[in-house]
Amino acid sequence: MWFPIQRPERVSFGASAKPWMPFDSQQPNSHCYRLETNSELLCICSYTHLHWVPFSEDPNPVTHSSGPSTPLKNQTYSFSPSKSYSRQSSSSDTDLSLTPKTGMGSGSGGKDGVPLKALYRQQTQSAFEHREFPFFTLTTFPPGFLVHVGGVVSARSVKLLDRIHNPDEPETRDAWWAEIRQEIKSHGKALGCHAVVGYSESTSICEEVCILSASGTAAVLNPKMLQDCSTEGCSEHRLDDASSLGCSFCHIPYDELNMPFPAHLTYCYVCRKQKVPDVLFTTIEPPLEAAVTGKGCLIQARLCRQKKKTQGEANATAISNLLPFMEYELHTQLMNKLKLRGMNALFGLRIQITVGENMLMGLASATGLYLTALPSPGGIQIAGKTPNDSSYEQHISNIQKKINDTIIKNREIYEINPPEILEELLGSPIPETRQRSRLFRSQSESSDDVSELDLSHGKKDAFVLEIDDADAVEDIHSLLTDTPTPAGFYSCNTEIMPGINNWTSDLQMFTTVRVFRLNNVTGLTSHGLNKAFSDLCENLLKTLYFKLRSMVPCCLCHVNFNVALPEDELIQVSVTAVAITYDKDQAQYVTKVCTDKTILKASVENEDQLQFTLELCMESQSSQSALHFSPCKTMGITESGNLQQVTPAAQRATSVDYSSFADRCSSWIEFIKQKAQTIRRGSIKTIASLDKASPLAEAHTHHRSPISCTTSTVTVVEMTPLSFIPGAKIAKYLGIINMFFIRETTSLREEGGVSGFLHAFIAEVFAIVRAHVAALGGNAVVSYIMKQCVFMENANKNQAQCLINVSGDAVNLFRDADVESAPSQPQTSGLQIGNGSGDVVT
Amino acid sequence: MAVELDVFVGNTTLIDKDVYQLWLDGYSVSDAVTIRIQSGILEQTGATQDVLESDTMDHYRAFQMLERLLHCPSKLTNQLLFQIPPPMQSMLIEKYYTFDEPFVREVLGKKLSKGTKKDLDDVSAKTTITLKSCRRQFDNFKRVFKVVEEMKGPLVENIQQNFLLSDRLASDYAAIVFFANNRFETGKKKLQYLTFEDFASCGKHLIHNWTLGAVDCMVDDMDVDLDREFLQDLKDLKVLITDKDLLDQHKSLVCTALRSKVSSFTEMEANFKNLSRALINIAAKLIHTKDVRDLFIDLVEKFIEPCKSDRLSCNDVGIFLTQYMNTARALDAFKHQSLWERYMGTIKSCIITMYHE
């Protein structure tokens, strides 16, 4: 996002802060707190992009008609449950009922052109009719689709669940979300944007208190592409726009003379024509066309705040009072860590606030990058408050030196060597500002400081960290002691790491769960608590690096942290990610250009490929089955009785008229029944035999994986949280996998304690997912996500319970290396998904 | 802050060969962590001890879950719970069934019974192999024994098919099963100088020549039980020492052939009758199960030790035995040529294997 530089006077959360934290007076029953994270600071809104007809703003923003009562058209666009980060999106599921269900079969269904087309159509229509802001839960877009990116917009609201009169009815909840979306929209508008991309909603509930959160990235979208409903638009657009330079989306969407908040603009370092901010925060994936210098890295801000154990309204008030400080602190941490790494942009930002009985946890994860178009970040300067003490001065200068060294080191690690551009050439409109900002720790802020701070405002070079108490010293210390990623590792929470293109097909998806007990929470200082939480996360990452050391050089992608507070003193952190090995020796930047080409190709070619709707299913059947009628599908049908989970696609497939293949079918069914018997008896020969019998599947066995079994009869099923598998192309989507598992044990000790129980459980969850996919004829799961992992134990009773919810898309994929030998899929050859380009809609 | 729960599960089961070895060696988690720290892994990777502990625990848990599958390796290759690449599966199986030389020497030829298992703590104390590891190895022996005991077909192949072991390990197990079944005495002090490899190669010769499988490859237990009929017939060889003429004739034929070929000819000539008597007596007694068990001790006491006291070289003994066997063909009065060769061929190979310090 374009994070507004937070001026000291703006963040002195004293009484003077009230104007920025309006409590909703219209809903006296619900305790409403809204922090307009960024946009609360945006006082002036301007609309510079009125040229866009379908989305053109009402000349007078005040009369904008959409209020909370407006039907929630925006829900139409959140059709990608597996990609959106909203863990508990069920709370807003009611809204989805407005949405036509077609095209919602699966999260990554949108890869294919058809539903996207339909979607565009819907959007444009609704935009015309209702002047709604489109909300996109997608995080990747075709090149040229994003014209400008404004920054992160977010809203939170604290609600009391026991105040709902009809808990079974969705009205109240709908109203809550409507409010939040309304707020998001207005933030977006304030940033001069008409759309929100990478949008997600989530909730955190503890007892009767609920925090509703929504965040997204305000953006200006390409009207042509929305109107034309085709991906051809993007190729046209690409030619006539600066996007070929990879800088267009960084350009500010708002009016520089009338900025919504104080910010430091410079001319774009790529095209040198448009203005860019000095920092950009977003919730989306780095656009493929983005010009990036060096590599990125995972940046996390962690925070833990104690609160009193209270009930009802008092509790909600306490939480509401804490939230703005937490948001601010998280932002400060992110900003500092970003600067420390010499980077200037965050992608995939996800801030998770978790509420517990006696504490609030905040975890912000994002992937830091150096966008070539943005100015180089200044350093971090330490300032002491008691300048007369010489030993203190000494101490400060030591820290300063450490920080400078770390920045230099980080620039080397992440290969950030931006081309030197002379200042004069850029002709900065604000000559004296080169990323001038002054940042103070929120805790130290008080209204007393204001006048003093005002004096210094805007005059300091670089980013200033003021040390005024012991906590601050430790904070800076912890900033520096963030474990550096070991050599050979990169990590990010986005799908792909810019700067690494030569992925190999060696990947390892994993889930790790840790539960920590904080001893004596009340005895800990807030800082101690922070440190404990931060160490916990750091240790987890360290363990991952250690465990995966055999995969070096590799990149941890889509590192997805989830924090839960199951009990008073327990913190549960679960992480799902994938480690992908890359080839160090190959050239790094080769694919940059061809990436763009392949996307276009992919998006066009993919149009014929969708298998989510019945018609398409039939089409694909008739067009392909003559060549390779897949018995795996029939298996889905015949076994639907005993396989509880049959994907929508497969279910629809049952109604497909197979008469032309009746003979073959019946013999297959006989065969499969027979095999199903064998399965039930515990033998696992089915898959292999099926594979052998089907020419298509035979190809799979051939393409399956480098470690393809010679003796074993078990299908290797790859799983990944990403929407693609490097070095492979997805031939067919077989449907969504969405499974809930509940397991209970009354012999916890005998099963190796809580860890033994959960280890076995997760291993079995993976195995069941793999088996389902294999039974559908697939060989991989993409967009895999563990949405829920609720663990409870009672050691005294020797009992434990666990609920896990996982979902993903079952797919059939082919390895690129084997394309030539796979004549059954001629239409897909020449398409490279390995670089993530196929991920048009996620 | 205490970690209550800590698990890491990969879609492809992550296996660290070093940790696996520590687990197989029967070390507890804390011992394993200590050993890993000593190996300098912390310095190499920059990890901390708690990371190492967590990693070791994860691996131990996974191995524990894998163990029941390893008991039946074909299940491991066909199970769905753990996605493990085939080369890794083979490694897991191979290492699980690998045994320690000192341990197998203690157990070789013993009945694989509960009684023996109870004595494993003594074995453990003696060999400094952890009791846990001893138990695993013992259970492996017993498991393989139970499975192939009653099976038709060649022993090595049966073991290979049922336990998916490498050729080498499968033939070692064949020897272990064979020794256990026939309860050959291998633990006597005089036999201590022999390695498992010596016994294994003797076992191979015995399996190849003296079992039922040597004549008929489709009977039960073909490679496990010795050919009773053959053992019965062996008493017919006594004629070579009871018939004075035959003995003298045999001696002169051997001595003619050996003269100028071996360095210690005189000792051999002087001892011929004793040596011949020893070998024939061993043959004649093999009809008794007890004497079968004592085969190796008899060979050492009656033949190898006398030869060694005469300081015969291994080479000379080899030449002697070859001539001793071959010249019997020239004895017109000796009618049991094939029996003789079946017996002597094996005995010769065994003695040559066992003839070392």
Side-chain angles (χ1 to χ4, degrees), chain B residues 240-253:
Chain B
L240 279 175
I241 49 167
T242 50
D243 188 325
K244 191 90 172 76
D245 292 345
L246 216 52
L247 184 61
D248 288 338
Q249 212 182 336
H250 194 189
K251 180 183 174 180
S252 67
L253 281 170

Side-chain angles (χ1 to χ4, degrees), chain A residues 770-824:
Chain A
R770 285 196 301 261
H772 271 280
V773 172
L776 289 167
N779 56 6
V781 182
V782 295
S783 304
Y784 172 85
I785 185 170
M786 182 184 271
K787 288 176 177 166
Q788 289 281 2
C789 178
V790 182
F791 180 80
M792 286 181 292
E793 59 153 329
N794 188 334
N796 296 331
K797 285 188 182 164
N798 206 19
Q799 286 178 350
Q801 292 84 25
C802 188
L803 177 148
I804 287 179
N805 172 217
V806 296
S807 76
D809 292 334
V811 297
N812 209 325
L813 53 82
F814 291 84
R815 297 276 167 200
D816 279 350
D818 300 317
V819 165
E820 291 82 38
S821 54
S824 54

Side-chain angles (χ1 to χ4, degrees), chain A residues 47-57 147-148 192 194 220-224 227 237 241 253:
Chain A
Y47 302 94
T48 51
H49 295 274
L50 297 172
H51 58 273
W52 191 4
V53 184
F55 288 94
S56 67
E57 297 304 330
V147 179
H148 299 298
H194 57 250
V220 176
L221 306 180
N222 181 350
K224 270 189 213 147
Q227 270 179 318
H237 185 75
D241 194 78

Side-chain angles (χ1 to χ4, degrees), chain A residues 508-509 512 515 517 684 712, chain B residues 2 4 7 11-12 77-78 83:
Chain A
Q508 167 73 287
M509 190 279 294
T512 176
V515 175
R517 182 174 293 281
I684 325 155
S712 170
Chain B
E4 293 255 310
V7 295
N11 183 39
T12 304
T77 53
N78 287 315
Q83 188 157 284

Side-chain angles (χ1 to χ4, degrees), chain B residues 9-284:
Chain B
V9 191
N11 183 39
T12 304
T13 308
L14 209 62
I15 286 156
D16 185 313
K17 287 179 189 174
D18 300 334
V19 184
Y20 187 51
Q21 191 56 55
L22 291 170
W23 178 74
L24 289 176
D25 290 343
Y27 291 107
S28 68
V29 174
S30 56
D31 289 347
V33 169
T34 317
I35 294 170
R36 292 182 83 186
I37 290 174
Q38 280 160 4
S39 76
I41 196 162
L42 294 188
E43 289 76 23
Q44 285 165 31
T45 57
T48 53
Q49 186 171 338
D50 47 337
V51 167
L52 206 59
E53 270 163 20
S54 144
D55 179 60
T56 313
M57 277 298 289
D58 270 325
H59 277 110
Y60 267 56
R61 266 198 308 274
F63 297 146
Q64 241 152 33
M65 286 188 257
L66 280 168
E67 190 165 21
R68 69 192 166 83
L69 295 166
L70 284 164
H71 290 167
C72 181
S74 55
K75 276 188 190 153
L76 180 71
T77 53
N78 287 315
Q79 51 82 35
L80 297 166
L81 188 53
F82 300 99
Q83 188 157 284
I84 304 171
M88 192 57 97
Q89 285 179 357
S90 313
M91 189 283 290
L92 287 175
I93 296 166
E94 192 76 7
K95 278 202 165 183
Y96 190 78
Y97 283 90
T98 302
F99 46 81
D100 293 311
E101 167 91 26
F103 175 79
V104 74
R105 277 298 279 114
E106 292 296 321
V107 182
L108 194 65
K110 279 188 186 156
K111 197 177 176 188
L112 299 173
S113 63
K114 276 186 183 140
T116 317
K117 197 175 177 183
K118 271 180 196 152
D119 298 336
L120 285 180
D121 38 359
D122 296 337
V123 176
S124 166
K126 195 176 162 190
T127 56
T128 68
I129 296 166
T130 59
L131 183 58
K132 220 173 157 191
S133 177
C134 287
R135 291 214 173 113
R136 171 183 61 84
Q137 298 180 38
F138 182 83
D139 290 340
N140 282 346
F141 294 167
K142 195 169 170 181
R143 198 175 312 113
V144 174
F145 184 86
K146 289 266 177 225
V147 168
V148 299
E149 200 182 16
E150 305 280 311
M151 254 180 203
K152 280 190 178 129
L155 185 56
V156 179
E157 271 178 39
N158 283 341
I159 293 174
Q160 227 167 350
Q161 271 165 19
N162 284 284
F163 292 93
L164 311 172
L165 301 176
S166 65
D167 292 352
R168 200 192 135 77
L169 202 55
S171 67
D172 281 352
Y173 266 92
I176 290 165
V177 169
F178 182 71
F179 271 72
N181 189 57
N182 291 291
R183 313 266 298 280
F184 287 111
E185 177 60 66
T186 64
K188 284 267 160 51
K189 208 174 175 194
K190 281 180 178 166
L191 295 176
Q192 286 306 314
Y193 78 100
L194 292 168
T195 63
F196 170 72
E197 215 161 311
D198 296 335
F199 283 118
S201 93
C202 291
K204 212 165 164 185
H205 294 304
L206 293 174
I207 292 169
H208 208 252
N209 296 304
W210 285 13
T211 57
L212 288 168
V215 280
D216 177 1
C217 55
M218 275 325 289
V219 284
D220 288 355
D221 302 342
M222 53 174 268
D223 280 351
V224 188
D225 290 336
L226 292 171
D227 184 352
R228 303 297 303 173
E229 224 168 288
F230 161 70
L231 297 179
Q232 198 113 35
D233 293 344
L234 281 177
K235 67 176 187 300
D236 295 342
L237 298 178
K238 269 207 148 179
V239 71
L240 279 175
I241 49 167
T242 50
D243 188 325
K244 191 90 172 76
D245 292 345
L246 216 52
L247 184 61
D248 288 338
Q249 212 182 336
H250 194 189
K251 180 183 174 180
S252 67
L253 281 170
V254 173
C255 290
T256 323
L258 288 181
R259 199 183 306 269
S260 77
K261 273 191 188 162
V262 289
S263 51
S264 39
F265 176 69
T266 39
E267 289 92 338
M268 266 183 196
E269 195 179 21
N271 266 331
F272 178 83
K273 283 186 184 173
N274 282 339
L275 293 177
S276 179
R277 207 169 278 137
L279 290 176
I280 305 289
N281 277 331
I282 291 171

